[in-house]
Amino acid sequence: MTPRTRRTFLAFAILATLAGMDTLRWWRATEHNTAIDRSTRTEHPTAPLLVEDSPAELRFAAASLAAREGQVTRAVALYRQVAEARPDLAPGALVDAANALHREGRRLVAADNRAGALPLLELAKETYREVLRRDPSVWSARYNLERALRLAPEDEARDDEGASIPADSERALTTMRAFTLGLP
């Protein structure tokens, strides 16, 4: 075999290997997209099979389905995994996690189980605040935080423990409880 034939054969082998790797990636992406599609169906959705190295998008779809089925703990855990793995998806995942907690808290309040709802509402409020610390422009987090605060107001004394504010002092409108300036 001549050196030129060897180089040609080596180049062909490298290209065949790269094409095989690309085909494998395409096949996995197609499987993930099919699983995401199945989990978002309105009739008979099926949860995607998650493995340790499942992509964040697949975990996001599984979390969304778990939230729709009322599996709040599983949904929140999956949304948190997405937020940790993909910072670009973190605001959406955290808002969805807080929404699942908020929805379950509202359901418990409606069922006259306020004691069971308060921890969920507190977790929802903290998650909305986490989203707003990361990106203050997320209006859905701001709006839903306000709704959660109306459902489970916070104790004024707890907020002002370290500071003594004179009774006749002014406070900014944005710090008033249950006051909204409206949304655009």
Side-chain angles (χ1 to χ4, degrees):
M1 208 185 273
T2 66
R4 184 174 177 177
T5 308
R6 279 190 213 141
R7 283 192 302 252
T8 305
F9 180 74
L10 181 62
F12 179 74
I14 290 171
L15 287 175
T17 303
L18 291 175
M21 290 171 50
D22 200 34
T23 302
L24 180 64
R25 271 186 258 151
W26 172 80
W27 179 71
R28 282 188 181 161
T30 302
E31 279 188 334
H32 294 313
N33 288 338
T34 303
I36 290 170
D37 183 47
R38 276 192 230 123
S39 71
T40 57
R41 284 186 196 154
T42 54
E43 290 183 22
H44 310 296
T46 57
L49 178 63
L50 296 177
V51 292
E52 194 168 319
D53 64 338
S54 293
E57 294 86 358
L58 195 59
R59 289 184 188 282
F60 208 125
S64 177
L65 181 61
R68 277 186 277 144
E69 291 178 344
Q71 301 171 3
V72 177
T73 306
R74 176 172 161 66
V76 170
L78 288 168
Y79 282 132
R80 288 269 176 199
Q81 289 175 6
V82 170
E84 289 173 12
R86 293 276 303 273
D88 59 322
L89 296 177
L94 291 174
V95 166
D96 285 354
N99 287 345
L101 291 164
H102 188 192
R103 193 176 311 112
E104 185 66 14
R106 282 193 333 255
R107 188 188 68 74
L108 289 174
V109 166
D112 205 25
N113 184 359
R114 194 151 184 82
L118 284 177
L120 294 173
L121 293 171
E122 290 300 320
L123 282 171
K125 290 189 293 188
E126 184 54 38
T127 306
Y128 288 132
R129 286 185 178 114
E130 182 181 345
V131 171
L132 291 171
R133 279 191 296 272
R134 290 179 183 218
D135 185 1
S137 67
V138 181
W139 280 102
S140 60
R142 192 176 301 269
Y143 174 77
N144 287 326
L145 173 59
E146 188 174 310
R147 288 184 66 203
L149 284 168
R150 285 177 188 251
L151 200 56
E154 294 181 344
D155 186 15
E156 289 266 344
R158 191 183 81 194
D159 292 343
D160 300 333
E161 284 174 354
S164 60
I165 300 174
D168 60 341
S169 69
E170 289 185 352
R171 294 184 79 180
L173 286 176
T174 57
T175 63
M176 290 176 61
R177 301 281 185 237
F179 183 82
T180 179
L181 296 175
L183 291 175

